Amino acid sequence: MVVEQYAPADPGLALTDPALYAHGDPHAVWARLRREAPVSWHDEPGHEGFWAVTTYPEGLDVLTDSSRFSSTRGTFLRPNLSDPFPGGGRMMTLTDPPRHGVLRGVLSRLFSPRAARSFEARAGEVAHRLMAAVTDAGPRDFVVDVAARYPLAVTAELLGVAPADVDRVAAWTGTAADNIVDIDGSTAQQAHLEVLQYYAEVLEDRRLRPGDDVVSAFVLAQAEGLDISDEEIILTCDNLVVAAGETTRQVTGAGLLALLDAPEQAAALRRGEISRRRAVEEMLRWSAPVNHIMRTALADTEVAGVPIGAGQAVSVWLPSLNRDEGVFERPGEFLLDRHPNRHASFGGGGHFCIGAPLARLMIAALLDELVDERIEIALAGEPRRIPSYITGGLDRLPITVTSR
């Protein structure tokens, strides 16, 4: 079988070029790939070759079949895919069954839908406080002043972060996420080292004073005989605290921009004519928190009839899955009342985002504030997209919030 290969000679299809996400139109690129080569091979400057999967059924095939595709070699593309990935096989997101299920099981109670509901009042309180702080305060950056501060302010206790440490931990995780493309760069590494050192100290504290948080859950499991090292606990906590911030940050930032472009839908949501639950799902579909998830083929296999070699990297492009014309009607339109809405923004299979119930609740609480009839939100400058083939969304959204 001849598989069309999109080489770097075509700059419009360089999926690892940050400029595509900062200034280009990645959705046009993904749409072309869906039409012409849903499973395509890419050789791009500075990167080892990789497969790109851009259609929904094929993408979920890769994400849900851990017997064929492994997470231990890393979950994001990077220049040297053959090098061991830091934390591979040791943190929850970088493990395969059965190890992944063991680690996930330790935390499942803390991240259940029932447990998420206990954060509803806290999420509403924090969302209201942050929006009140930017109301009638002149131009502000929604991403920096609200979206980036919100997630950890809500989930700090769950993630083992002391209230007094929220701001500095949020700064570290924001830096780590903003520099995620340059995973070997000194800025990203230093931010992660700060988080790792912080959790090393929290781990020792929880051995003396356990609580009801992720670190305590692992300490208890350790005491009950679970074969998990301190290093594995600390690495997993680093991954959890960074991921927790990014999902809500990116979805609410891009979601607010979409709402500002669709005032009639925002008004209908405000009047209760559109389900808040459906609106949250459409915001998630519209802006997946990450652009792709990577897996590594464990043996020779195929996806949609395309042969994949053992050891080759296979990247699944979530925003493209979310706009697959074969699954979604009018996929290029932001429709708050969309139903059904089987988006792939939380991934799929055993690695489906463990924090999805809590993320949905937090997005909903902040959405209530964004469509509150007592305020009016307007753009105050040019939004800026994140120049990253990993993290999706905006890193700048200037707005003014005024009382009505």
Side-chain angles (χ1 to χ4, degrees):
M1 175 179 292
V2 177
V3 181
E4 185 172 359
Q5 298 187 19
Y6 290 105
D10 186 346
L13 286 171
L15 292 176
T16 58
D17 182 358
L20 174 63
Y21 305 90
H23 310 295
D25 186 358
H27 283 288
V29 173
W30 292 321
R32 177 178 167 186
L33 290 173
R34 289 196 301 271
R35 291 192 306 269
E36 299 178 7
V39 182
S40 56
W41 178 256
H42 294 249
D43 277 315
E44 300 182 0
H47 278 260
E48 294 182 29
F50 61 91
W51 292 97
V53 181
T54 51
T55 44
Y56 188 97
E58 290 72 23
L60 287 188
D61 178 28
V62 173
L63 294 178
T64 57
D65 193 343
S66 59
S67 68
R68 293 157 59 214
F69 300 101
S70 173
S71 300
T72 61
R73 294 285 294 276
T75 54
F76 297 123
L77 294 169
R78 61 192 194 282
N80 300 311
L81 291 168
S82 56
D83 291 347
F85 191 86
R90 291 177 294 163
M91 68 171 69
M92 188 170 69
T93 192
L94 299 176
T95 54
D96 296 330
R99 183 62 173 171
H100 178 76
V102 171
L103 297 178
R104 190 179 177 103
V106 173
L107 302 179
S108 59
R109 175 186 63 82
L110 294 175
F111 288 93
S112 68
R114 180 179 180 179
R117 287 193 293 273
S118 68
F119 285 87
E120 189 166 11
R122 174 66 177 163
E125 170 194 325
V126 174
H128 181 75
R129 172 169 54 82
L130 290 173
M131 289 301 296
V134 299
T135 300
D136 298 324
R140 289 291 183 268
D141 187 336
F142 177 79
V143 173
V144 173
D145 295 324
V146 179
R149 296 180 178 181
Y150 176 58
L152 193 55
V154 175
T155 62
E157 183 178 352
L158 173 66
L159 296 172
V161 176
D165 298 332
V166 166
D167 287 344
R168 64 186 178 120
V169 174
W172 294 332
T173 60
T175 299
D178 289 344
N179 291 274
I180 198 167
V181 171
D182 187 18
I183 195 166
D184 296 319
S186 59
T187 303
Q189 282 191 340
Q190 184 58 40
H192 279 291
L193 285 173
E194 297 283 8
V195 176
L196 294 172
Q197 179 59 40
Y198 181 83
Y199 272 108
E201 296 171 4
V202 173
L203 179 59
E204 291 307 311
D205 177 76
R206 293 303 186 273
R207 287 205 167 98
L208 299 173
R209 289 177 289 275
D212 194 21
D213 55 56
V214 296
V215 185
S216 299
F218 278 125
V219 167
L220 177 61
Q222 226 180 19
E224 292 177 344
L226 177 65
D227 180 20
I228 181 172
S229 68
D230 288 358
E231 181 185 32
E232 288 175 305
I233 294 173
I234 294 167
L235 286 168
T236 295
C237 288
D238 172 59
N239 173 251
L240 284 170
V241 75
V242 173
E246 284 311 288
T247 298
T248 306
R249 173 188 174 190
Q250 304 309 345
V251 171
T252 55
L256 174 57
L257 181 59
L259 284 171
L260 293 175
D261 288 336
E264 292 183 0
Q265 292 191 65
L269 179 61
R270 184 181 302 117
R271 294 191 299 266
E273 297 168 4
I274 293 176
S275 157
R276 184 178 70 162
R277 181 175 181 178
R278 289 188 184 182
V280 168
E281 296 307 314
E282 180 66 348
M283 289 174 69
L284 283 160
R285 184 193 73 91
W286 190 250
S287 183
V290 297
N291 283 322
H292 78 272
I293 296 175
M294 190 193 83
R295 296 288 185 262
T296 302
L298 289 168
D300 290 348
T301 185
E302 64 176 46
V303 176
V306 176
I308 308 291
Q312 290 184 326
V314 183
S315 57
V316 178
W317 296 81
L318 302 184
S320 182
L321 270 57
N322 285 347
R323 300 198 186 191
D324 187 336
E325 297 81 357
V327 176
F328 300 94
E329 293 185 13
R330 299 158 64 189
E333 298 180 39
F334 181 69
L335 303 172
L336 286 180
D337 202 25
R338 181 181 297 277
H339 183 76
N341 193 345
R342 301 184 301 276
H343 62 78
S345 293
F346 287 125
H351 280 272
F352 185 87
C353 177
I354 192 172
L358 185 53
R360 285 180 163 117
L361 181 145
M362 289 195 296
I363 294 167
L366 186 52
L367 179 59
D368 283 346
E369 295 295 323
L370 297 180
V371 298
D372 191 301
E373 62 183 5
R374 294 168 294 183
I375 62 171
E376 182 174 350
I377 304 174
L379 278 178
E382 190 68 25
R384 186 174 66 198
R385 289 185 286 165
I386 298 173
S388 168
Y389 59 87
I390 298 177
T391 303
L394 306 171
D395 66 3
R396 181 174 184 269
L397 183 59
I399 61 167
T400 56
V401 185
T402 54
S403 300
R404 291 182 185 271

